[in-house]
Every structure is written in C-alpha cells, then in structure tokens.
Amino acid sequence: NKPSTSVKSLMLALMRSTSMLLTLGIALAIPTGDAPHRRLLAWSTTFCYPDGNLSLSIPDSKCAGGVPQDIELCSATSTEPSTCELADGVLGRGIDANRWDSDYIFKYCPTRLVFEFADGSQRAFCEDLQAVPAPNDWATTRRASESRPYEAYTDSWWPWARCQADWGRSWVGGKCIDDTRYLGEKCADELECDNSGVAQYDGLHLSCAPPSATNLAITEPTCLPSAFLLDVERNRCECNDWWRFDWNFGFACGAKDGFCNGHACVLSTGDGNKYCDYQTDNSW
C-alpha cells in the first residue's frame, strides 16, 4: 500500500501548489475598492497603565475613569449592549456558547480596553460585544453529514480502493476519512478547515488552532473561529525542507513538520523571525 499512498500524497501536494498559485493570482487581480459583500472583521485595543508615570505619556480619555468597577463577565448569550469584562487567552477577544452545536453562538470584541498593572497582570474589557458581521450563520461552517459524511464507502465491498481514488479522503485505521474539516473537528496539516468562499479576516473564517494557543479546553488541534486568535501570542516556526514540495516565498512558507497545522509560517518585520499566522487558511 505504501507506493500508492506516496503517489497520492505527491499528487495532492502538486494539486495544492497549483491551487495556491491560482489563488494568489486571483487575489492580485481582484480590486478591493468596492466589495459590499465582504464582511471582514475590524478590531482595536487601547492599553491603559494605571500604575505607570502618567507624566511620561499622553493620556487616553478612555483610561481617565480608571479600572471599571462592578462589571459582569462577557456572555455570548447576552442581548444587552454594555461594557463587560473579558477572560484570559483567546477569550480576551471573543466568547462563545453552545460549543460546536447546531445553535452555536460566537461573539467577538471589536474594541478592547486593557489595563496593564505593574506586576504584569492585565484586565480586559469590551465596550460592545458583537456577533460577527452578517450573515453570521455558523451552520454553514458545520459538517453536512448527508452530503459530506466524515466516513465514506462503508457499504462498499472494497472501500480501500475507492478511498485511494478519492483525492479528498484518506485511508486511516481501516476507514475512509474526509480530509476536509469543519467547526469543532480535529484538524492538522493536510486536514484543512473548510473556508470555501470565506476570506481571511472574514467573520466566519476558521483556523486550525493548537491547544497551546487557546484556553478553550481543547486537547487536539481544532477548527474554530479565527477571531479567537486575533491577539494570541503566535508560535515561532521555520520553513519546511525544500525537497518536500512545500511553499516558500521567502516572507511566507509552509512550516516544517506541519508545526503550524497547515497555516503559513510568516516573517515578522519586528524581530526577523517567522511565526505561525493563524489567520491564513491552513492549506500551506
């Protein structure tokens, strides 16, 4: 079985390379001046330093009132717009409810107010927690079990052969498993989160997030809203070996050993190192 698997993997790599070239070409050709159908996220953060020397900085009017008092924790099910306190980690930019269910709710914070204290601790507040821009139907990010089942060819007399001929599936543990993953499902390099027709920084964009980048109580890389990862510390990475047919544009490349779960490994102009960019599709 190994020769067939190797050939299939090579063909998939070549197909993915061709697809990415076409995507880059199309992206360069599309004008961005007017795109009313796009629903890209916008976000900002204001930092306040209540323990700092205020005479050495330009005061921000948002910081003038000090740390907000008697503020409730942010809730995805709340319907009243008001200031709320955000949690740590990825929950510092968004909050969800009914996780991965059909009635899944996700709201993100477009405008954060962060108070950083002398001991390095922080408290973050959201001025107005919002649903991602409409249409924000998370049902479109969930698996349609009838049209695209997780496991296929279960009723076939030779499922392995049919699976080898299906470029979108892999034979794993005696089952023909779908390589495309959806909201709440396990993902990895070559197990791509479905972002068909969804742009980067779109409200419904999914990322393959590692447990180390979140505090969402996930134990394996999982497809979740990319907005969760807007402010998390990114993992440092390096480019894959040239002979593995992976992408390398110098400033962005496929990560070595699948470290970024298929997301681009991107050069930072700050320190000159490369880091996983979880806002890209995990198809690198």
Side-chain angles (χ1 to χ4, degrees):
N1 301 347
K2 290 184 179 179
S4 298
T5 302
S6 299
V7 171
K8 184 175 180 179
S9 298
L10 177 59
M11 290 298 294
L12 284 172
L14 292 173
M15 290 171 64
R16 187 171 66 174
S17 299
T18 303
S19 175
M20 189 166 292
L21 273 177
L22 290 173
T23 300
L24 287 172
I26 292 171
L28 292 173
I30 294 177
T32 57
D34 62 336
H37 62 285
R38 299 179 73 183
R39 48 194 188 282
L40 304 187
L41 301 180
W43 70 97
S44 64
T45 300
T46 298
F47 285 91
C48 305
Y49 303 93
D51 299 333
N53 187 341
L54 299 182
S55 64
L56 300 178
S57 61
I58 301 176
D60 191 298
S61 58
K62 294 183 178 180
C63 304
V67 181
Q69 302 297 318
D70 301 321
I71 300 296
E72 295 184 355
L73 289 174
C74 295
S75 170
T77 58
S78 175
T79 58
E80 295 296 328
S82 62
T83 299
C84 59
E85 184 165 5
L86 295 157
D88 297 327
V90 297
L91 300 180
R93 181 58 73 178
I95 189 83
D96 64 355
N98 310 324
R99 188 163 295 167
W100 321 146
D101 290 340
S102 58
D103 56 348
Y104 180 70
I105 301 173
F106 173 76
K107 292 183 178 180
Y108 90 109
C109 181
T111 307
R112 290 197 314 163
L113 184 63
V114 178
F115 288 84
E116 185 167 315
F117 304 98
D119 61 1
S121 63
Q122 293 182 343
R123 290 181 66 184
F125 299 87
C126 184
E127 297 181 356
D128 184 13
L129 199 66
Q130 297 179 6
V132 298
N136 55 8
D137 183 7
W138 289 97
T140 61
T141 67
R142 302 181 74 250
R143 179 178 296 279
S145 56
E146 293 184 1
S147 60
R148 196 177 183 98
Y150 180 74
E151 181 183 355
Y153 311 124
T154 55
D155 56 350
S156 173
W157 66 276
W158 197 7
W160 176 85
R162 295 193 64 182
C163 195
Q164 293 300 312
D166 191 333
W167 296 107
R169 294 183 175 274
S170 299
W171 188 255
V172 180
K175 299 178 180 179
C176 189
I177 303 302
D178 188 10
D179 291 338
T180 301
R181 300 304 164 92
Y182 296 84
L183 179 68
E185 295 184 349
K186 176 184 176 180
C187 52
D189 190 16
E190 299 188 4
L191 295 178
E192 187 178 347
C193 297
D194 181 50
N195 284 308
S196 303
V198 180
Q200 296 175 26
Y201 298 100
D202 187 296
L204 294 180
H205 192 269
L206 298 178
S207 293
C208 184
S212 61
T214 80
N215 59 357
L216 292 174
I218 58 175
T219 58
E220 57 188 5
T222 303
C223 294
L224 49 75
S226 299
F228 265 136
L229 306 175
L230 286 171
D231 297 299
V232 300
E233 183 176 350
R234 298 185 297 170
N235 296 320
R236 186 173 172 178
C237 56
E238 57 182 295
C239 295
N240 209 350
D241 300 315
W242 66 268
W243 48 270
R244 293 186 180 275
F245 297 98
D246 217 340
W247 280 103
N248 192 329
F249 294 102
F251 63 91
C253 59
K256 188 174 183 178
D257 300 325
F259 182 74
C260 296
N261 297 330
H263 291 286
C265 181
V266 179
L267 177 69
S268 169
T269 57
D271 60 10
N273 294 314
K274 290 185 173 71
Y275 297 89
C276 298
D277 185 353
Y278 293 112
Q279 299 303 317
T280 61
D281 292 346
N282 67 315
S283 57
W284 283 73

PDB file of all heavy atoms in Angstrom, residues 15-52:
ATOM      1  N   MET A  15      -1.191  19.343  -6.537  1.00  0.00           N
ATOM      2  CA  MET A  15      -2.501  19.969  -6.750  1.00  0.00           C
ATOM      3  C   MET A  15      -2.682  21.163  -5.833  1.00  0.00           C
ATOM      4  O   MET A  15      -3.209  22.199  -6.222  1.00  0.00           O
ATOM      5  CB  MET A  15      -3.611  18.945  -6.513  1.00  0.00           C
ATOM      6  CG  MET A  15      -3.698  17.860  -7.575  1.00  0.00           C
ATOM      7  SD  MET A  15      -4.833  16.538  -7.117  1.00  0.00           S
ATOM      8  CE  MET A  15      -6.374  17.448  -7.071  1.00  0.00           C
ATOM      9  N   ARG A  16      -2.228  21.008  -4.579  1.00  0.00           N
ATOM     10  CA  ARG A  16      -2.357  22.106  -3.629  1.00  0.00           C
ATOM     11  C   ARG A  16      -1.496  23.282  -4.059  1.00  0.00           C
ATOM     12  O   ARG A  16      -1.889  24.442  -3.934  1.00  0.00           O
ATOM     13  CB  ARG A  16      -1.940  21.628  -2.226  1.00  0.00           C
ATOM     14  CG  ARG A  16      -2.211  22.648  -1.146  1.00  0.00           C
ATOM     15  CD  ARG A  16      -2.012  22.100   0.232  1.00  0.00           C
ATOM     16  NE  ARG A  16      -0.632  21.765   0.505  1.00  0.00           N
ATOM     17  CZ  ARG A  16      -0.195  21.364   1.692  1.00  0.00           C
ATOM     18  NH1 ARG A  16      -1.044  21.217   2.683  1.00  0.00           N
ATOM     19  NH2 ARG A  16       1.075  21.078   1.890  1.00  0.00           N
ATOM     20  N   SER A  17      -0.301  23.007  -4.590  1.00  0.00           N
ATOM     21  CA  SER A  17       0.579  24.069  -5.073  1.00  0.00           C
ATOM     22  C   SER A  17      -0.064  24.822  -6.228  1.00  0.00           C
ATOM     23  O   SER A  17      -0.054  26.044  -6.274  1.00  0.00           O
ATOM     24  CB  SER A  17       1.914  23.466  -5.523  1.00  0.00           C
ATOM     25  OG  SER A  17       2.564  22.819  -4.457  1.00  0.00           O
ATOM     26  N   THR A  18      -0.643  24.084  -7.189  1.00  0.00           N
ATOM     27  CA  THR A  18      -1.312  24.717  -8.328  1.00  0.00           C
ATOM     28  C   THR A  18      -2.477  25.568  -7.866  1.00  0.00           C
ATOM     29  O   THR A  18      -2.677  26.697  -8.323  1.00  0.00           O
ATOM     30  CB  THR A  18      -1.818  23.636  -9.305  1.00  0.00           C
ATOM     31  OG1 THR A  18      -0.715  22.836  -9.713  1.00  0.00           O
ATOM     32  CG2 THR A  18      -2.472  24.277 -10.514  1.00  0.00           C
ATOM     33  N   SER A  19      -3.248  25.043  -6.912  1.00  0.00           N
ATOM     34  CA  SER A  19      -4.403  25.770  -6.386  1.00  0.00           C
ATOM     35  C   SER A  19      -3.979  27.061  -5.718  1.00  0.00           C
ATOM     36  O   SER A  19      -4.613  28.101  -5.892  1.00  0.00           O
ATOM     37  CB  SER A  19      -5.162  24.886  -5.386  1.00  0.00           C
ATOM     38  OG  SER A  19      -6.201  25.606  -4.783  1.00  0.00           O
ATOM     39  N   MET A  20      -2.867  27.021  -4.972  1.00  0.00           N
ATOM     40  CA  MET A  20      -2.431  28.222  -4.269  1.00  0.00           C
ATOM     41  C   MET A  20      -1.923  29.278  -5.236  1.00  0.00           C
ATOM     42  O   MET A  20      -2.136  30.474  -5.056  1.00  0.00           O
ATOM     43  CB  MET A  20      -1.357  27.876  -3.242  1.00  0.00           C
ATOM     44  CG  MET A  20      -1.007  29.032  -2.322  1.00  0.00           C
ATOM     45  SD  MET A  20      -0.066  28.506  -0.895  1.00  0.00           S
ATOM     46  CE  MET A  20      -1.270  27.556  -0.018  1.00  0.00           C
ATOM     47  N   LEU A  21      -1.237  28.839  -6.325  1.00  0.00           N
ATOM     48  CA  LEU A  21      -0.800  29.794  -7.331  1.00  0.00           C
ATOM     49  C   LEU A  21      -1.976  30.509  -7.971  1.00  0.00           C
ATOM     50  O   LEU A  21      -1.968  31.721  -8.169  1.00  0.00           O
ATOM     51  CB  LEU A  21       0.010  29.065  -8.412  1.00  0.00           C
ATOM     52  CG  LEU A  21       1.518  28.901  -8.155  1.00  0.00           C
ATOM     53  CD1 LEU A  21       2.144  28.108  -9.289  1.00  0.00           C
ATOM     54  CD2 LEU A  21       2.199  30.251  -8.001  1.00  0.00           C
ATOM     55  N   LEU A  22      -3.029  29.741  -8.279  1.00  0.00           N
ATOM     56  CA  LEU A  22      -4.226  30.337  -8.854  1.00  0.00           C
ATOM     57  C   LEU A  22      -4.867  31.301  -7.881  1.00  0.00           C
ATOM     58  O   LEU A  22      -5.324  32.385  -8.254  1.00  0.00           O
ATOM     59  CB  LEU A  22      -5.216  29.229  -9.241  1.00  0.00           C
ATOM     60  CG  LEU A  22      -4.808  28.355 -10.433  1.00  0.00           C
ATOM     61  CD1 LEU A  22      -5.786  27.199 -10.578  1.00  0.00           C
ATOM     62  CD2 LEU A  22      -4.754  29.176 -11.714  1.00  0.00           C
ATOM     63  N   THR A  23      -4.891  30.915  -6.588  1.00  0.00           N
ATOM     64  CA  THR A  23      -5.496  31.774  -5.567  1.00  0.00           C
ATOM     65  C   THR A  23      -4.745  33.079  -5.453  1.00  0.00           C
ATOM     66  O   THR A  23      -5.332  34.163  -5.370  1.00  0.00           O
ATOM     67  CB  THR A  23      -5.499  31.056  -4.207  1.00  0.00           C
ATOM     68  OG1 THR A  23      -6.259  29.855  -4.325  1.00  0.00           O
ATOM     69  CG2 THR A  23      -6.125  31.945  -3.136  1.00  0.00           C
ATOM     70  N   LEU A  24      -3.388  33.003  -5.446  1.00  0.00           N
ATOM     71  CA  LEU A  24      -2.583  34.215  -5.347  1.00  0.00           C
ATOM     72  C   LEU A  24      -2.797  35.105  -6.559  1.00  0.00           C
ATOM     73  O   LEU A  24      -2.903  36.320  -6.452  1.00  0.00           O
ATOM     74  CB  LEU A  24      -1.110  33.839  -5.225  1.00  0.00           C
ATOM     75  CG  LEU A  24      -0.670  33.256  -3.879  1.00  0.00           C
ATOM     76  CD1 LEU A  24       0.767  32.758  -3.968  1.00  0.00           C
ATOM     77  CD2 LEU A  24      -0.814  34.285  -2.776  1.00  0.00           C
ATOM     78  N   GLY A  25      -2.887  34.483  -7.744  1.00  0.00           N
ATOM     79  CA  GLY A  25      -3.107  35.260  -8.955  1.00  0.00           C
ATOM     80  C   GLY A  25      -4.433  35.958  -8.950  1.00  0.00           C
ATOM     81  O   GLY A  25      -4.548  37.128  -9.300  1.00  0.00           O
ATOM     82  N   ILE A  26      -5.467  35.259  -8.506  1.00  0.00           N
ATOM     83  CA  ILE A  26      -6.798  35.849  -8.448  1.00  0.00           C
ATOM     84  C   ILE A  26      -6.847  36.962  -7.418  1.00  0.00           C
ATOM     85  O   ILE A  26      -7.435  38.020  -7.630  1.00  0.00           O
ATOM     86  CB  ILE A  26      -7.842  34.763  -8.110  1.00  0.00           C
ATOM     87  CG1 ILE A  26      -7.963  33.783  -9.287  1.00  0.00           C
ATOM     88  CG2 ILE A  26      -9.204  35.385  -7.817  1.00  0.00           C
ATOM     89  CD1 ILE A  26      -8.809  32.564  -8.972  1.00  0.00           C
ATOM     90  N   ALA A  27      -6.184  36.735  -6.267  1.00  0.00           N
ATOM     91  CA  ALA A  27      -6.190  37.753  -5.207  1.00  0.00           C
ATOM     92  C   ALA A  27      -5.543  39.043  -5.685  1.00  0.00           C
ATOM     93  O   ALA A  27      -5.981  40.137  -5.335  1.00  0.00           O
ATOM     94  CB  ALA A  27      -5.451  37.216  -3.978  1.00  0.00           C
ATOM     95  N   LEU A  28      -4.472  38.920  -6.494  1.00  0.00           N
ATOM     96  CA  LEU A  28      -3.812  40.113  -7.012  1.00  0.00           C
ATOM     97  C   LEU A  28      -4.654  40.822  -8.058  1.00  0.00           C
ATOM     98  O   LEU A  28      -4.537  42.023  -8.262  1.00  0.00           O
ATOM     99  CB  LEU A  28      -2.461  39.727  -7.618  1.00  0.00           C
ATOM    100  CG  LEU A  28      -1.387  39.251  -6.619  1.00  0.00           C
ATOM    101  CD1 LEU A  28      -0.170  38.734  -7.373  1.00  0.00           C
ATOM    102  CD2 LEU A  28      -0.997  40.373  -5.670  1.00  0.00           C
ATOM    103  N   ALA A  29      -5.543  40.068  -8.716  1.00  0.00           N
ATOM    104  CA  ALA A  29      -6.317  40.645  -9.816  1.00  0.00           C
ATOM    105  C   ALA A  29      -7.614  41.279  -9.364  1.00  0.00           C
ATOM    106  O   ALA A  29      -8.169  42.120 -10.051  1.00  0.00           O
ATOM    107  CB  ALA A  29      -6.610  39.557 -10.846  1.00  0.00           C
ATOM    108  N   ILE A  30      -8.112  40.880  -8.192  1.00  0.00           N
ATOM    109  CA  ILE A  30      -9.415  41.378  -7.738  1.00  0.00           C
ATOM    110  C   ILE A  30      -9.285  42.761  -7.136  1.00  0.00           C
ATOM    111  O   ILE A  30      -8.485  42.970  -6.222  1.00  0.00           O
ATOM    112  CB  ILE A  30     -10.022  40.426  -6.688  1.00  0.00           C
ATOM    113  CG1 ILE A  30     -10.356  39.083  -7.346  1.00  0.00           C
ATOM    114  CG2 ILE A  30     -11.257  41.024  -6.054  1.00  0.00           C
ATOM    115  CD1 ILE A  30     -10.897  38.062  -6.368  1.00  0.00           C
ATOM    116  N   PRO A  31     -10.032  43.747  -7.599  1.00  0.00           N
ATOM    117  CA  PRO A  31      -9.993  45.075  -6.982  1.00  0.00           C
ATOM    118  C   PRO A  31     -10.645  45.035  -5.621  1.00  0.00           C
ATOM    119  O   PRO A  31     -11.599  44.309  -5.396  1.00  0.00           O
ATOM    120  CB  PRO A  31     -10.806  45.944  -7.964  1.00  0.00           C
ATOM    121  CG  PRO A  31     -11.728  44.978  -8.638  1.00  0.00           C
ATOM    122  CD  PRO A  31     -10.970  43.681  -8.738  1.00  0.00           C
ATOM    123  N   THR A  32     -10.108  45.835  -4.691  1.00  0.00           N
ATOM    124  CA  THR A  32     -10.633  45.827  -3.322  1.00  0.00           C
ATOM    125  C   THR A  32     -11.383  47.108  -2.989  1.00  0.00           C
ATOM    126  O   THR A  32     -11.756  47.324  -1.852  1.00  0.00           O
ATOM    127  CB  THR A  32      -9.481  45.645  -2.318  1.00  0.00           C
ATOM    128  OG1 THR A  32      -8.521  46.706  -2.526  1.00  0.00           O
ATOM    129  CG2 THR A  32      -8.785  44.307  -2.530  1.00  0.00           C
ATOM    130  N   GLY A  33     -11.551  47.961  -3.985  1.00  0.00           N
ATOM    131  CA  GLY A  33     -12.188  49.245  -3.720  1.00  0.00           C
ATOM    132  C   GLY A  33     -13.621  49.116  -3.257  1.00  0.00           C
ATOM    133  O   GLY A  33     -14.030  49.731  -2.285  1.00  0.00           O
ATOM    134  N   ASP A  34     -14.430  48.329  -3.953  1.00  0.00           N
ATOM    135  CA  ASP A  34     -15.805  48.174  -3.515  1.00  0.00           C
ATOM    136  C   ASP A  34     -16.137  46.693  -3.491  1.00  0.00           C
ATOM    137  O   ASP A  34     -16.136  46.025  -4.500  1.00  0.00           O
ATOM    138  CB  ASP A  34     -16.774  48.925  -4.432  1.00  0.00           C
ATOM    139  CG  ASP A  34     -16.744  48.385  -5.858  1.00  0.00           C
ATOM    140  OD1 ASP A  34     -15.726  47.793  -6.253  1.00  0.00           O
ATOM    141  OD2 ASP A  34     -17.751  48.573  -6.541  1.00  0.00           O
ATOM    142  N   ALA A  35     -16.377  46.206  -2.305  1.00  0.00           N
ATOM    143  CA  ALA A  35     -16.746  44.794  -2.127  1.00  0.00           C
ATOM    144  C   ALA A  35     -17.787  44.717  -1.026  1.00  0.00           C
ATOM    145  O   ALA A  35     -17.513  44.318   0.084  1.00  0.00           O
ATOM    146  CB  ALA A  35     -15.520  43.962  -1.773  1.00  0.00           C
ATOM    147  N   PRO A  36     -19.017  45.183  -1.309  1.00  0.00           N
ATOM    148  CA  PRO A  36     -20.040  45.265  -0.271  1.00  0.00           C
ATOM    149  C   PRO A  36     -20.411  43.917   0.309  1.00  0.00           C
ATOM    150  O   PRO A  36     -20.968  43.850   1.395  1.00  0.00           O
ATOM    151  CB  PRO A  36     -21.231  45.887  -1.014  1.00  0.00           C
ATOM    152  CG  PRO A  36     -20.992  45.567  -2.459  1.00  0.00           C
ATOM    153  CD  PRO A  36     -19.505  45.602  -2.619  1.00  0.00           C
ATOM    154  N   HIS A  37     -20.106  42.815  -0.421  1.00  0.00           N
ATOM    155  CA  HIS A  37     -20.478  41.506   0.083  1.00  0.00           C
ATOM    156  C   HIS A  37     -19.507  40.998   1.134  1.00  0.00           C
ATOM    157  O   HIS A  37     -19.787  40.028   1.822  1.00  0.00           O
ATOM    158  CB  HIS A  37     -20.520  40.505  -1.076  1.00  0.00           C
ATOM    159  CG  HIS A  37     -19.201  40.322  -1.738  1.00  0.00           C
ATOM    160  ND1 HIS A  37     -18.660  41.257  -2.594  1.00  0.00           N
ATOM    161  CD2 HIS A  37     -18.295  39.302  -1.662  1.00  0.00           C
ATOM    162  CE1 HIS A  37     -17.478  40.816  -3.032  1.00  0.00           C
ATOM    163  NE2 HIS A  37     -17.234  39.647  -2.483  1.00  0.00           N
ATOM    164  N   ARG A  38     -18.342  41.645   1.258  1.00  0.00           N
ATOM    165  CA  ARG A  38     -17.363  41.177   2.224  1.00  0.00           C
ATOM    166  C   ARG A  38     -17.757  41.615   3.621  1.00  0.00           C
ATOM    167  O   ARG A  38     -18.303  42.686   3.835  1.00  0.00           O
ATOM    168  CB  ARG A  38     -15.970  41.709   1.865  1.00  0.00           C
ATOM    169  CG  ARG A  38     -15.493  41.236   0.493  1.00  0.00           C
ATOM    170  CD  ARG A  38     -14.150  41.798   0.159  1.00  0.00           C
ATOM    171  NE  ARG A  38     -13.097  41.165   0.932  1.00  0.00           N
ATOM    172  CZ  ARG A  38     -11.821  41.532   0.850  1.00  0.00           C
ATOM    173  NH1 ARG A  38     -11.482  42.530   0.071  1.00  0.00           N
ATOM    174  NH2 ARG A  38     -10.907  40.911   1.565  1.00  0.00           N
ATOM    175  N   ARG A  39     -17.439  40.798   4.615  1.00  0.00           N
ATOM    176  CA  ARG A  39     -17.794  41.086   5.990  1.00  0.00           C
ATOM    177  C   ARG A  39     -16.567  40.881   6.872  1.00  0.00           C
ATOM    178  O   ARG A  39     -16.561  40.056   7.789  1.00  0.00           O
ATOM    179  CB  ARG A  39     -18.967  40.214   6.439  1.00  0.00           C
ATOM    180  CG  ARG A  39     -18.799  38.734   6.087  1.00  0.00           C
ATOM    181  CD  ARG A  39     -20.122  37.986   6.239  1.00  0.00           C
ATOM    182  NE  ARG A  39     -19.970  36.556   6.086  1.00  0.00           N
ATOM    183  CZ  ARG A  39     -19.843  35.912   4.929  1.00  0.00           C
ATOM    184  NH1 ARG A  39     -19.840  36.589   3.803  1.00  0.00           N
ATOM    185  NH2 ARG A  39     -19.712  34.603   4.890  1.00  0.00           N
ATOM    186  N   LEU A  40     -15.477  41.583   6.542  1.00  0.00           N
ATOM    187  CA  LEU A  40     -14.220  41.418   7.244  1.00  0.00           C
ATOM    188  C   LEU A  40     -14.284  42.081   8.618  1.00  0.00           C
ATOM    189  O   LEU A  40     -14.951  43.098   8.820  1.00  0.00           O
ATOM    190  CB  LEU A  40     -13.077  42.019   6.424  1.00  0.00           C
ATOM    191  CG  LEU A  40     -12.927  41.483   4.994  1.00  0.00           C
ATOM    192  CD1 LEU A  40     -11.661  42.031   4.374  1.00  0.00           C
ATOM    193  CD2 LEU A  40     -12.952  39.966   4.963  1.00  0.00           C
ATOM    194  N   LEU A  41     -13.551  41.491   9.550  1.00  0.00           N
ATOM    195  CA  LEU A  41     -13.551  41.985  10.920  1.00  0.00           C
ATOM    196  C   LEU A  41     -12.631  43.187  11.068  1.00  0.00           C
ATOM    197  O   LEU A  41     -11.610  43.300  10.394  1.00  0.00           O
ATOM    198  CB  LEU A  41     -13.090  40.883  11.873  1.00  0.00           C
ATOM    199  CG  LEU A  41     -13.909  39.595  11.900  1.00  0.00           C
ATOM    200  CD1 LEU A  41     -13.300  38.626  12.907  1.00  0.00           C
ATOM    201  CD2 LEU A  41     -15.361  39.878  12.254  1.00  0.00           C
ATOM    202  N   ALA A  42     -12.995  44.086  11.966  1.00  0.00           N
ATOM    203  CA  ALA A  42     -12.144  45.204  12.353  1.00  0.00           C
ATOM    204  C   ALA A  42     -12.002  45.148  13.872  1.00  0.00           C
ATOM    205  O   ALA A  42     -12.958  44.827  14.570  1.00  0.00           O
ATOM    206  CB  ALA A  42     -12.761  46.534  11.910  1.00  0.00           C
ATOM    207  N   TRP A  43     -10.817  45.446  14.380  1.00  0.00           N
ATOM    208  CA  TRP A  43     -10.630  45.363  15.823  1.00  0.00           C
ATOM    209  C   TRP A  43      -9.531  46.322  16.269  1.00  0.00           C
ATOM    210  O   TRP A  43      -8.667  46.703  15.490  1.00  0.00           O
ATOM    211  CB  TRP A  43     -10.284  43.931  16.244  1.00  0.00           C
ATOM    212  CG  TRP A  43      -8.930  43.443  15.836  1.00  0.00           C
ATOM    213  CD1 TRP A  43      -7.787  43.422  16.592  1.00  0.00           C
ATOM    214  CD2 TRP A  43      -8.554  42.936  14.556  1.00  0.00           C
ATOM    215  NE1 TRP A  43      -6.737  42.923  15.863  1.00  0.00           N
ATOM    216  CE2 TRP A  43      -7.175  42.615  14.613  1.00  0.00           C
ATOM    217  CE3 TRP A  43      -9.241  42.717  13.353  1.00  0.00           C
ATOM    218  CZ2 TRP A  43      -6.480  42.092  13.527  1.00  0.00           C
ATOM    219  CZ3 TRP A  43      -8.548  42.194  12.275  1.00  0.00           C
ATOM    220  CH2 TRP A  43      -7.197  41.883  12.371  1.00  0.00           C
ATOM    221  N   SER A  44      -9.592  46.722  17.519  1.00  0.00           N
ATOM    222  CA  SER A  44      -8.596  47.640  18.075  1.00  0.00           C
ATOM    223  C   SER A  44      -8.478  47.387  19.571  1.00  0.00           C
ATOM    224  O   SER A  44      -9.367  46.805  20.200  1.00  0.00           O
ATOM    225  CB  SER A  44      -8.988  49.098  17.806  1.00  0.00           C
ATOM    226  OG  SER A  44     -10.201  49.402  18.491  1.00  0.00           O
ATOM    227  N   THR A  45      -7.357  47.839  20.136  1.00  0.00           N
ATOM    228  CA  THR A  45      -7.111  47.695  21.572  1.00  0.00           C
ATOM    229  C   THR A  45      -6.503  48.984  22.109  1.00  0.00           C
ATOM    230  O   THR A  45      -5.569  49.528  21.503  1.00  0.00           O
ATOM    231  CB  THR A  45      -6.159  46.522  21.873  1.00  0.00           C
ATOM    232  OG1 THR A  45      -6.729  45.305  21.389  1.00  0.00           O
ATOM    233  CG2 THR A  45      -5.915  46.396  23.376  1.00  0.00           C
ATOM    234  N   THR A  46      -7.031  49.482  23.203  1.00  0.00           N
ATOM    235  CA  THR A  46      -6.457  50.626  23.903  1.00  0.00           C
ATOM    236  C   THR A  46      -5.851  50.123  25.209  1.00  0.00           C
ATOM    237  O   THR A  46      -6.529  49.449  25.997  1.00  0.00           O
ATOM    238  CB  THR A  46      -7.532  51.682  24.217  1.00  0.00           C
ATOM    239  OG1 THR A  46      -8.083  52.176  22.996  1.00  0.00           O
ATOM    240  CG2 THR A  46      -6.933  52.832  25.010  1.00  0.00           C
ATOM    241  N   PHE A  47      -4.562  50.423  25.439  1.00  0.00           N
ATOM    242  CA  PHE A  47      -3.888  49.994  26.658  1.00  0.00           C
ATOM    243  C   PHE A  47      -3.828  51.145  27.668  1.00  0.00           C
ATOM    244  O   PHE A  47      -3.526  52.287  27.304  1.00  0.00           O
ATOM    245  CB  PHE A  47      -2.478  49.499  26.352  1.00  0.00           C
ATOM    246  CG  PHE A  47      -2.441  48.141  25.716  1.00  0.00           C
ATOM    247  CD1 PHE A  47      -2.454  48.001  24.332  1.00  0.00           C
ATOM    248  CD2 PHE A  47      -2.411  47.003  26.497  1.00  0.00           C
ATOM    249  CE1 PHE A  47      -2.423  46.751  23.734  1.00  0.00           C
ATOM    250  CE2 PHE A  47      -2.379  45.742  25.923  1.00  0.00           C
ATOM    251  CZ  PHE A  47      -2.390  45.616  24.537  1.00  0.00           C
ATOM    252  N   CYS A  48      -4.108  50.812  28.906  1.00  0.00           N
ATOM    253  CA  CYS A  48      -4.034  51.779  29.997  1.00  0.00           C
ATOM    254  C   CYS A  48      -3.069  51.251  31.055  1.00  0.00           C
ATOM    255  O   CYS A  48      -3.033  50.044  31.322  1.00  0.00           O
ATOM    256  CB  CYS A  48      -5.408  51.993  30.635  1.00  0.00           C
ATOM    257  SG  CYS A  48      -6.706  52.490  29.468  1.00  0.00           S
ATOM    258  N   TYR A  49      -2.295  52.148  31.652  1.00  0.00           N
ATOM    259  CA  TYR A  49      -1.288  51.751  32.645  1.00  0.00           C
ATOM    260  C   TYR A  49      -1.526  52.522  33.942  1.00  0.00           C
ATOM    261  O   TYR A  49      -0.880  53.541  34.196  1.00  0.00           O
ATOM    262  CB  TYR A  49       0.114  52.024  32.100  1.00  0.00           C
ATOM    263  CG  TYR A  49       0.367  51.314  30.779  1.00  0.00           C
ATOM    264  CD1 TYR A  49       0.129  51.972  29.554  1.00  0.00           C
ATOM    265  CD2 TYR A  49       0.820  50.006  30.740  1.00  0.00           C
ATOM    266  CE1 TYR A  49       0.348  51.326  28.343  1.00  0.00           C
ATOM    267  CE2 TYR A  49       1.038  49.350  29.536  1.00  0.00           C
ATOM    268  CZ  TYR A  49       0.797  50.018  28.340  1.00  0.00           C
ATOM    269  OH  TYR A  49       1.005  49.372  27.138  1.00  0.00           O
ATOM    270  N   PRO A  50      -2.453  52.057  34.757  1.00  0.00           N
ATOM    271  CA  PRO A  50      -2.827  52.805  35.964  1.00  0.00           C
ATOM    272  C   PRO A  50      -1.702  52.943  36.986  1.00  0.00           C
ATOM    273  O   PRO A  50      -1.720  53.863  37.809  1.00  0.00           O
ATOM    274  CB  PRO A  50      -3.992  51.981  36.535  1.00  0.00           C
ATOM    275  CG  PRO A  50      -3.808  50.610  35.973  1.00  0.00           C
ATOM    276  CD  PRO A  50      -3.225  50.816  34.616  1.00  0.00           C
ATOM    277  N   ASP A  51      -0.698  52.040  36.934  1.00  0.00           N
ATOM    278  CA  ASP A  51       0.413  52.116  37.891  1.00  0.00           C
ATOM    279  C   ASP A  51       1.612  52.856  37.323  1.00  0.00           C
ATOM    280  O   ASP A  51       2.644  52.980  37.996  1.00  0.00           O
ATOM    281  CB  ASP A  51       0.859  50.698  38.298  1.00  0.00           C
ATOM    282  CG  ASP A  51      -0.265  49.924  38.974  1.00  0.00           C
ATOM    283  OD1 ASP A  51      -1.140  50.574  39.565  1.00  0.00           O
ATOM    284  OD2 ASP A  51      -0.256  48.682  38.891  1.00  0.00           O
ATOM    285  N   GLY A  52       1.494  53.346  36.081  1.00  0.00           N
ATOM    286  CA  GLY A  52       2.631  53.995  35.428  1.00  0.00           C
ATOM    287  C   GLY A  52       2.722  55.468  35.769  1.00  0.00           C
ATOM    288  O   GLY A  52       1.839  56.052  36.419  1.00  0.00           O
TER     289      GLY A  52
END
